[in-house]
Amino acid sequence: MNSKKNILAICGSTRKNSSNLNLIRFIARQYAEIFNFLIFEDLADLPHFNPELDTEPGPKAVNDFRNLIKAADAVVICTPEYAVGVPGSLKNAIDWTVSSMEFSKKPVLLITASTSGHYAHQSLLGTLLIIESRITEESQLLISSIRTKVNAGAEITDQLTLEKISKAISALEDMIKDHTYAMIYLPPPLLN
């Protein structure tokens, strides 16, 4: 009998009832039979990244965050796009993991859910790949017009989005099971 794998889900929004958090809540509920989800909602509690504080041991909130990533079999990141970029709080959290390498070889499902999201998705994907996260074309998802697809009750109201999430979760399962599964996908650069 296989035990359920542990997934750390990180919401890139600090709003208490953001569409991204509702999307994570849906995924955690929908796939509770195969994964144990821990939803990290404390991005705002992490101090501003400062290389002078990036030591062992570092600030308590940072150490706690790093330990959550280490303990997880995989990470799900679900984020909006702010001002055509990655939300500052999420980028700050990831910056705290660069030198300590918690994301190295860690399977990641990257979901960018926003009005558009293309720029933030490409930027965050580049960051995650440079810190050696395991991401495939199938383990990333861009959901545009998110507010029309998830409601305040944390329910997905769009059938195509449900199907895409199911495929992305399957890809994440495959990466967790197969530690050699390391195909990395980097999209072409955006044209000016």
Side-chain angles (χ1 to χ4, degrees), residues 98-153:
V98 173
S99 67
S100 51
M101 301 185 66
E102 284 80 16
F103 276 99
S104 181
K105 309 299 185 246
K106 186 74 64 174
V108 174
L109 169 55
L110 173 59
I111 302 172
T112 307
S114 200
T115 300
S116 173
H118 296 279
Y119 293 100
H121 190 84
Q122 183 173 4
S123 176
L124 188 53
L125 177 61
T127 298
L128 290 168
L129 290 176
I130 204 69
I131 60 174
E132 302 178 347
S133 298
R134 290 175 60 212
I135 299 179
T136 65
E137 185 174 1
E138 294 79 18
S139 71
Q140 52 181 302
L141 184 56
L142 177 61
I143 305 172
S144 298
S145 305
I146 186 60
R147 289 188 180 192
T148 66
K149 297 171 182 171
V150 62
N151 64 26

Side-chain angles (χ1 to χ4, degrees), residues 19-151:
S19 297
N20 281 266
L21 184 55
N22 284 331
L23 184 55
I24 287 174
R25 288 174 177 153
F26 169 83
I27 292 169
R29 190 175 62 239
Q30 188 75 10
Y31 297 96
E33 288 186 14
I34 56 175
F35 293 131
N36 292 315
F37 280 90
L38 174 63
I39 301 174
F40 182 75
E41 297 182 62
D42 298 327
L43 283 182
D45 295 338
L46 295 172
H48 293 292
F49 177 72
N50 180 342
E52 293 177 353
L53 300 176
D54 192 10
T55 60
E56 288 294 331
K60 182 180 181 334
V62 171
N63 291 337
D64 292 346
F65 178 62
R66 288 172 170 173
N67 288 332
L68 290 174
I69 298 170
K70 285 178 191 172
D73 295 297
V75 175
V76 172
I77 297 174
C78 187
T79 185
E81 178 178 80
Y82 288 156
V84 296
V86 178
S89 296
L90 177 59
K91 181 62 167 70
N92 181 64
I94 293 171
D95 285 347
W96 278 112
T97 70
V98 173
S99 67
S100 51
M101 301 185 66
E102 284 80 16
F103 276 99
S104 181
K105 309 299 185 246
K106 186 74 64 174
V108 174
L109 169 55
L110 173 59
I111 302 172
T112 307
S114 200
T115 300
S116 173
H118 296 279
Y119 293 100
H121 190 84
Q122 183 173 4
S123 176
L124 188 53
L125 177 61
T127 298
L128 290 168
L129 290 176
I130 204 69
I131 60 174
E132 302 178 347
S133 298
R134 290 175 60 212
I135 299 179
T136 65
E137 185 174 1
E138 294 79 18
S139 71
Q140 52 181 302
L141 184 56
L142 177 61
I143 305 172
S144 298
S145 305
I146 186 60
R147 289 188 180 192
T148 66
K149 297 171 182 171
V150 62
N151 64 26

